[in-house]
Amino acid sequence: MSETAHRYTAELADQIELAWQDRWEESGVFNAPNPSGPFADPEKVASYDGGHMLVLDMFPYPSGAGLHVGHPLGYIATDVFSRYHRMLGKNVLHCLGMDAFGLPAEQYAVQTGQHPRVTTEANIVIMKRQLRRLGLGLDNRRAIRTMDPEYYRWTQWIFLKIFNSWYDREAVRPDGGLGRARPITELIADFESGARALPDGDERSWSDLSAVERAEVIDSHRLAYASEAPVNWAPGLGSVVANEEVTNDGRSERGNFPVFKRNLRQWMMRITDYSDRLADDLDRVEWPEKVKAMQRNWIGRSHGARVAFQVVGAPDGTEPIEVFTTRPDTLFGATFMVLAPEHPLVDSLVPQGEWPAGTNPTWTGGEATPEASVTAYRLAASRKSDVERQMEGKDKTGVFTGAYASNPATGTEIPIFIADYVLMGYGTGAIMAVPGQDERDWHFADVFDLPKIRTVQPTEGHPEDEAFGGEGPAINSANDTLDLNGKPIAEAKAAMIDWLVAQGFGEATVSYKLRDWLFSRQRYWGEPFPIVFDTDGVAHGVPESMLPIELPEVPDYSPRTFDPNDAASEPEPPLGRVREWVEVELDLGDGRGVQKYRRETNTMPNWAGSCWYHLRYLDPENHDELVSAATEEYWVGPRETPVAGAPAGTRDPGGVDLYIGGVEHAVLHLLYARFWQKVLFDLGHVSSEEPFRTYFSQGYIQAPAYRDDRGQPVEASEVEESVGEDGQSAFTWRGQPVTREFGKIGKSLKNMVSPDDMYAAYGADTLRLYEMGMGPLDQSKPWDTRAIVGSQRFLQRLWRNVVDEETGEVRVVDEPIDDATSRILHRTIDAVRRDYDELGFNTAIARLIEFNNALTKLDAVPRAAAEQIVLMVAPLAPHIAEELWSRLGHAESLTHEDFPVADPALLVEDSVTCVVQIKGKVRDRIEVPSDISEDELREKALALPKVVEATAGGVRTVIVRAPKLVNVVPL
RNA sequence: GCCGGAGUGGUGGAACUGGUAGACACGCGGCACUUAGGAUGCCGUGCUUCGGCGUGGGGGUUCGAGUCCCCCCUCUGGCACCA
């Protein structure tokens, strides 16, 4: 240590890093100016010749456990990218807020009585320290927190906008498409003027309706509405949750409690009105295909037809049974129908009295009459939870209703069943069953001995006893007025739909899996709804002037929770206990004067705050608007050119230029945020149609975890590794052998690795470099603490190339860069730029190491070379780069220095190594001038002794790819 | 079951439109400097019976395949009775 007092050690890194972090903070060098408003600096904005860029991360929830080394991965990546683009002359905005509402703080509050705000603020302090130590170049003036009233005031404001609007399917959008949100006042005006008729053929005029009746009509159009509907109720959690938050084994994502379908009055968001736009606009953004696919899948748009089936023997005017099918071409093969047990038409279908003559005994469920059978089946089905339904797998159950319908294509009478494999929530809740082409229907037909008619010719070798879902010509599909036989599926579908329309039996239609978004939660720690109910139970939005509706203090933070399996329990939100807050007298400014109201006691889900935070970052000090129009348009307005890979003719939707976060939010946050953005766009509050024009999902860092012989995780930091005689690693914990696996970092696997430890042992720059060097950003990869030293060694060599370790003096020389080094330098610049552009940080680091190693081999490093590598390293390891830059004699931070530019003339080599292959195998190499002609190269290659030897019998062909390759093929 | 993604040295990973497989790093081995080194520097490191063989396995296209096509295996993500 004594002889190398100025070595780049962890201690020195610590000093340098803390010093530069202070300097950055004091100078506000990462503060990005706005064109107008509170952070306005129009001159500075105009001074950026490279334009502007908004780079964001999915913001963190401040957990009590602090960060682990997996968390910063995305933040480092966005920081490197941002710093690089600042050096390209752009006004880069990179900032990070806190997703401060959430369940953990509330659960802690329930246990300890400590206010969630206190817990959350304490956690934020810890997290901010850890993040600051990482050296992120953030605009800290914009570090918004969702729990602050000044923030959630605008969350509530957006809710009011959504509540006060409706989706007009006929309205024309600026892009010419149909359908957009409009203020609810315009709908009311239409009703008042009579321009719009009342629903359900009600012929009264608007003024004839009572206030409650009007509210009912209006509420049925609102984009946010309270309704009594089947929702996911988790008694153990004490709250309802959204469809997206239910795992596929029927449990709540939070807390893993059983979830039951219950009819409860809850707030919903009419996201289904946006199904098409949410699906279509995925083409306009640059996202991982995987995530787009997940969203498309979740929206679940399928094109098909509605077909009406008349019930046989029903009195005139009886409603037909409507089915949805994606395969109208198979209608000739529909041999029975199935309704969901809850289908509203079931009651009217079931005939009184005995089973029809000749009813197959297996269809009756063992009951004496259709009515008894249907009642019993429906009861059994209603008692089954989703989990139980799933456990039954594909075993088909059901009963005959006793009624028949007429197949419109064939006129055949087909039996109508109810069965729980048909879901009320999708399509029309009724299907035409086509066993020939549908596996599920085939199974059902097997169980109930129903006929099967193939209407598509199966491919050869297709098993006789299976449905055929593949492509083929139609068969058995003709009647007096329609002949589909021989047509391929697509053609047959179109022909059938035309026929159905002509005959009045049906029409083409589209069905979606997406359901409306359940938006209320029975929790304390969330945004209160800006909603009050009058004495008639009608919901009113409070005037904007009353915002924010602040979260009141409560004696008890917990919702009432129940036995997790008590499906019959009722939610009870904590806010309901604060009577003086709930019961208010207000003048809503609607002309009714002061009235008695009850406040909504549910709170908004955690997603609310994160649906729009990307907008608030832009203008966080604006107290008059969510974001000013000019500022919004400057940062996220549509760009001239669409994103890469967009279909021809696409208009850019605008949005965040780079958004990085975990793929676990693919159908939650990322879908909800898109929905809110589109509503705000429709209502004219933003110019961008998408929140995130480019989204990148980073992989996870997995850390080794160890289990003992009982399978219990043991503390990973206490495990010792030894290499056995067979060369394989063995692991022991307190003397006992344990097995290693790689998994998510956290408490449950006892494999926590804290960035604090890495700062102490190596410094932040080394940690940053290691995390960025591990591999492609989108891949998950294993953490290996002992490999970090490689990153440290690189920085030490870089340091040593500039600073004398013994004296601390700068040791670069003021001499020109020699030609060979210059060529390496420019090739490095070229490659590093390309890598940085594409988030290829791992390969950029490899190039920088190579160049640095080349400098190490020189007797002395020319100043210009040192400066160039320092600038190139700066985005990745900003502290050491700033320190070296300053020691090299620059007074200013390098934040806005120009990134090195490669000279194209220096990218081409004078001579290159040419590979000489014989029959495709490398046999020799020759140095040739890089501008060698094909003929000359061919001659040179053919003259080589090895080639002469191999071609003694003659030459068949010679492939020349000058200057790098010659392939000789002998006869 | 359906739809994606991925299989490259002991390890993490490189390889632009088909054209020198294994960049860079860890680990490992050797040497130097050292009282010592787990510091630093330098050298080596896919396997090999030294003919060759090598990018999960098998076939194909091509002068030439990690890269393109077909079949199969394994791992992994999402959806899951969605009509």
Side-chain angles (χ1 to χ4, degrees):
Chain A
M1 197 63 191
S2 57
E3 60 211 297
T4 52
H6 299 275
R7 168 166 296 167
Y8 183 75
T9 59
E11 294 74 33
L12 183 55
D14 192 62
Q15 288 171 26
I16 292 171
E17 289 171 3
L18 293 175
W20 277 101
Q21 283 156 15
D22 289 344
R23 262 170 248 169
W24 291 333
E25 185 169 289
E26 281 156 29
S27 64
V29 67
F30 302 116
N31 290 351
N34 275 358
S36 60
F39 298 152
D41 192 340
E43 272 177 40
K44 203 169 164 200
V45 166
S47 74
Y48 291 100
D49 48 13
H52 58 86
M53 175 174 261
L54 175 61
V55 181
L56 294 179
D57 306 272
M58 285 187 187
F59 63 179
Y61 174 79
S63 96
L67 294 178
H68 61 67
V69 291
H71 288 118
L73 187 72
Y75 308 145
I76 298 170
T78 46
D79 189 49
V80 176
F81 194 74
S82 300
R83 286 174 182 270
Y84 168 62
H85 281 275
R86 279 189 198 102
M87 297 176 81
L88 297 180
K90 293 189 176 119
N91 184 14
V92 177
L93 174 52
H94 184 206
C95 49
L96 190 70
M98 291 282 165
D99 189 14
F101 280 128
L103 213 45
E106 179 173 306
Q107 280 167 341
Y108 188 74
V110 170
Q111 287 160 22
T112 63
Q114 172 154 284
H115 196 289
R117 177 177 291 107
V118 175
T119 311
T120 306
E121 293 201 334
N123 291 347
I124 288 175
V125 169
I126 296 169
M127 191 168 272
K128 285 215 160 178
R129 177 185 55 73
Q130 290 183 309
L131 287 171
R132 184 183 193 271
R133 190 61 191 78
L134 199 55
L136 302 177
L138 302 169
D139 184 341
N140 286 311
R141 301 170 303 172
R142 307 179 189 239
I144 52 182
R145 315 188 304 182
T146 55
M147 66 177 181
D148 292 337
E150 189 41 43
Y151 181 87
Y152 70 66
R153 164 192 184 176
W154 294 104
T155 310
Q156 292 170 334
W157 182 88
I158 296 170
F159 178 87
L160 281 179
K161 290 292 164 199
I162 298 172
F163 175 73
N164 285 320
S165 31
W166 62 296
Y167 200 78
D168 183 352
R169 293 178 180 284
E170 264 72 60
V172 179
R173 290 196 298 274
D175 65 0
L178 280 189
R180 65 179 168 87
R182 294 173 59 193
I184 200 82
T185 48
E186 297 179 11
L187 177 73
I188 296 170
D190 281 357
F191 281 129
E192 276 171 349
S193 70
R196 178 175 292 267
L198 292 179
D200 304 327
D202 191 332
E203 291 187 3
R204 291 178 295 170
S205 74
W206 188 247
S207 55
D208 295 336
L209 271 57
S210 72
V212 174
E213 285 173 316
R214 286 183 205 170
E216 267 172 29
V217 173
I218 296 165
D219 289 353
S220 70
H221 286 83
R222 291 182 190 274
L223 284 177
Y225 61 100
S227 88
E228 180 97 6
V231 296
N232 308 297
W233 164 234
L237 192 64
S239 184
V240 296
V241 293
N243 291 342
E244 291 81 2
E245 296 170 288
V246 181
T247 63
N248 55 16
D249 52 351
R251 288 174 164 262
S252 63
E253 203 160 69
R254 290 268 176 175
N256 199 32
F257 294 109
V259 169
F260 299 90
K261 281 281 177 206
R262 279 289 309 282
N263 269 315
L264 294 170
R265 187 173 161 84
Q266 293 293 328
W267 283 94
M268 309 289 286
M269 291 257 171
R270 220 177 287 275
I271 190 171
T272 50
D273 281 343
Y274 284 84
S275 299
D276 279 320
R277 285 163 72 187
L278 289 170
D280 292 342
D281 286 355
L282 287 170
D283 289 340
R284 300 165 68 190
V285 293
E286 189 177 359
W287 286 17
E289 272 313 313
K290 169 197 169 90
V291 176
K292 288 189 184 185
M294 283 164 75
Q295 292 218 348
R296 286 200 186 97
N297 201 305
W298 190 259
I299 294 164
R301 176 166 58 185
S302 51
H303 295 270
R306 269 174 202 267
V307 184
F309 283 68
Q310 291 297 336
V311 179
V312 175
D316 282 353
T318 308
E319 264 185 79
I321 301 171
E322 289 241 314
V323 303
F324 173 73
T325 174
T326 55
R327 293 293 304 274
D329 59 301
T330 64
L331 180 55
F332 285 92
T335 54
F336 59 100
M337 295 186 76
V338 185
L339 273 55
E342 317 88 76
H343 196 287
L345 285 180
V346 173
D347 285 324
S348 59
L349 282 177
V350 177
Q352 296 295 307
E354 300 294 305
W355 291 104
T359 296
N360 185 326
T362 61
W363 295 4
T364 64
E367 301 284 344
T369 63
E371 194 177 352
S373 178
V374 165
T375 306
Y377 188 80
R378 293 176 100 179
L379 184 66
S382 71
R383 283 190 177 152
K384 272 189 239 170
S385 67
D386 286 356
V387 188
E388 286 171 307
R389 262 197 194 194
Q390 271 184 2
M391 303 252 268
E392 285 173 14
K394 293 195 154 54
D395 296 341
K396 294 285 176 290
T397 62
V399 292
F400 179 43
T401 59
Y404 288 83
S406 165
N407 180 328
T410 61
T412 316
E413 293 188 3
I414 59 177
I416 305 171
F417 285 76
I418 58 170
D420 64 4
Y421 83 93
V422 174
L423 310 173
M424 195 58 225
Y426 182 76
T428 62
I431 63 160
M432 61 180 213
V434 188
Q437 275 74 234
D438 185 288
E439 195 193 338
R440 296 154 301 177
D441 298 343
W442 184 284
H443 287 145
F444 193 86
D446 271 344
V447 174
F448 294 95
D449 195 19
L450 289 154
K452 298 159 184 163
I453 301 171
R454 291 197 191 275
T455 58
V456 177
Q457 179 64 51
T459 44
E460 264 199 39
H462 183 80
E464 279 294 310
D465 56 351
E466 277 179 30
F468 176 71
E471 178 64 54
I475 53 172
N476 301 323
S477 296
N479 60 25
D480 295 345
T481 50
L482 176 68
D483 184 356
L484 303 180
N485 288 335
K487 291 190 202 299
I489 291 175
E491 245 176 77
K493 275 186 190 175
M496 175 58 87
I497 290 173
D498 287 347
W499 184 82
L500 287 169
V501 171
Q503 304 287 320
F505 291 142
E507 61 184 356
T509 183
V510 184
S511 201
Y512 305 87
K513 281 200 265 180
L514 184 69
R515 299 275 78 103
D516 277 346
W517 173 22
L518 172 63
F519 193 71
S520 41
R521 300 289 184 278
Q522 290 70 49
R523 310 227 64 100
Y524 173 71
W525 193 225
E527 300 87 348
F529 281 77
I531 292 288
V532 292
F533 296 96
D534 65 23
T535 47
D536 291 326
V538 173
H540 298 267
V542 303
E544 285 172 24
S545 61
M546 288 185 187
L547 299 181
I549 304 297
E550 293 207 37
L551 198 53
E553 297 304 313
V554 292
D556 178 3
Y557 301 108
S558 76
R560 185 153 166 222
T561 56
F562 302 86
D563 181 301
N565 292 304
D566 183 3
S569 50
E570 292 277 343
E572 283 178 29
L575 291 183
R577 299 190 202 114
V578 198
R579 178 179 286 188
E580 63 279 14
W581 182 81
V582 174
E583 294 177 2
V584 286
E585 294 192 5
L586 298 172
D587 182 350
L588 298 181
D590 55 1
R592 308 198 315 164
V594 175
Q595 299 278 326
K596 280 193 173 177
Y597 297 98
R598 278 184 60 83
R599 289 192 192 278
E600 170 60 59
T601 56
N602 287 305
T603 53
M604 298 188 201
N606 204 199
W607 311 108
S610 58
C611 267
W612 70 282
Y613 70 121
H614 55 282
L615 295 169
R616 190 60 180 171
Y617 280 141
L618 308 178
D619 209 1
E621 300 278 300
N622 188 337
H623 302 296
D624 305 319
E625 296 165 285
L626 172 153
V627 55
S628 86
T631 300
E632 191 269 343
E633 187 151 5
Y634 173 72
W635 287 112
V636 294
R639 297 292 181 108
E640 296 277 312
T641 46
V643 294
T650 301
R651 286 169 312 104
D652 185 68
V656 177
D657 294 294
L658 178 66
Y659 191 48
I660 294 187
V663 73
E664 68 272 19
H665 293 117
V667 286
L668 293 155
H669 160 61
L670 287 173
L671 188 66
Y672 299 148
R674 295 182 63 217
F675 165 51
W676 278 33
Q677 183 85 26
K678 288 182 186 303
V679 177
L680 290 172
F681 172 81
D682 283 354
L683 297 175
H685 300 295
V686 294
S687 68
S688 41
E689 288 182 71
E690 285 285 335
F692 316 113
R693 66 197 298 272
T694 304
Y695 161 65
F696 186 95
S697 71
Q698 95 264 19
Y700 300 104
I701 290 182
Q702 301 181 312
Y706 304 87
R707 293 180 192 274
D708 62 19
D709 51 8
R710 294 168 308 161
Q712 292 301 308
V714 300
E715 183 53 48
S717 57
E718 298 170 5
V719 170
E720 290 170 12
E721 178 175 3
S722 58
V723 180
E725 284 171 20
D726 56 354
Q728 297 287 305
S729 287
F731 304 94
T732 52
W733 178 75
R734 296 186 184 171
Q736 54 168 313
V738 291
T739 55
R740 184 177 66 168
E741 66 188 49
F742 284 87
K744 213 173 166 173
I745 302 174
K747 269 188 257 175
S748 56
L749 284 176
K750 294 191 179 171
N751 61 348
M752 186 74 179
V753 187
S754 167
D756 294 342
D757 298 338
M758 299 303 122
Y759 301 148
Y762 304 98
D765 280 336
T766 296
L767 174 66
R768 291 168 60 108
L769 209 53
Y770 174 66
E771 295 215 1
M772 291 300 99
M774 291 172 85
L777 195 58
D778 56 352
Q779 268 175 39
S780 291
K781 49 236 147 179
W783 179 262
D784 183 8
T785 296
R786 67 183 175 176
I788 302 180
V789 70
S791 303
Q792 190 184 34
R793 286 177 190 156
F794 164 51
L795 292 181
Q796 283 177 333
R797 286 197 297 271
L798 173 67
W799 180 262
R800 204 176 305 126
N801 278 335
V802 181
V803 177
D804 188 300
E805 285 194 336
E806 272 141 60
T807 65
E809 298 291 310
V810 171
R811 51 180 292 257
V812 299
V813 292
D814 287 306
E815 279 171 24
I817 310 175
D818 68 86
D819 198 52
T821 305
S822 188
R823 285 179 191 280
I824 304 173
L825 167 64
H826 284 267
R827 279 211 310 275
T828 304
I829 295 170
D830 183 57
V832 166
R833 273 183 170 252
R834 256 183 289 128
D835 289 341
Y836 277 169
D837 285 337
E838 293 159 19
L839 305 174
F841 303 128
N842 55 329
T843 46
I845 290 168
R847 297 298 197 147
L848 290 166
I849 291 173
E850 281 182 302
F851 180 54
N852 190 53
N853 288 348
L855 294 182
T856 305
K857 290 195 173 72
L858 301 176
D859 295 330
V861 176
R863 169 178 298 273
E867 293 193 339
Q868 300 268 292
I869 191 170
V870 163
L871 290 173
M872 284 192 281
V873 165
L876 290 157
H879 311 87
I880 190 176
E882 289 273 25
E883 183 68 19
L884 292 175
W885 186 249
S886 128
R887 290 189 185 216
L888 284 164
H890 301 277
E892 292 286 311
S893 161
L894 51 61
T895 301
H896 295 289
E897 283 298 319
D898 287 340
F899 199 83
V901 179
D903 177 354
L906 291 170
L907 295 178
V908 284
E909 290 287 344
D910 286 344
S911 72
V912 296
T913 307
C914 176
V915 175
V916 182
Q917 298 178 332
I918 296 168
K919 274 182 78 177
K921 305 259 190 232
V922 179
R923 290 292 179 239
D924 209 348
R925 297 184 165 97
I926 44 174
E927 280 296 309
V928 296
S930 53
D931 57 354
I932 191 167
S933 74
E934 280 201 12
D935 290 339
E936 199 182 336
L937 184 57
R938 178 183 293 112
E939 272 177 45
K940 273 198 174 195
L942 288 174
L944 290 168
K946 285 181 185 172
V947 176
V948 171
E949 192 185 332
T951 57
V955 175
R956 181 148 60 135
T957 181
V958 182
I959 287 115
V960 183
R961 293 284 178 274
K964 297 195 81 170
L965 178 128
V966 179
N967 187 9
V968 181
V969 186
L971 275 176

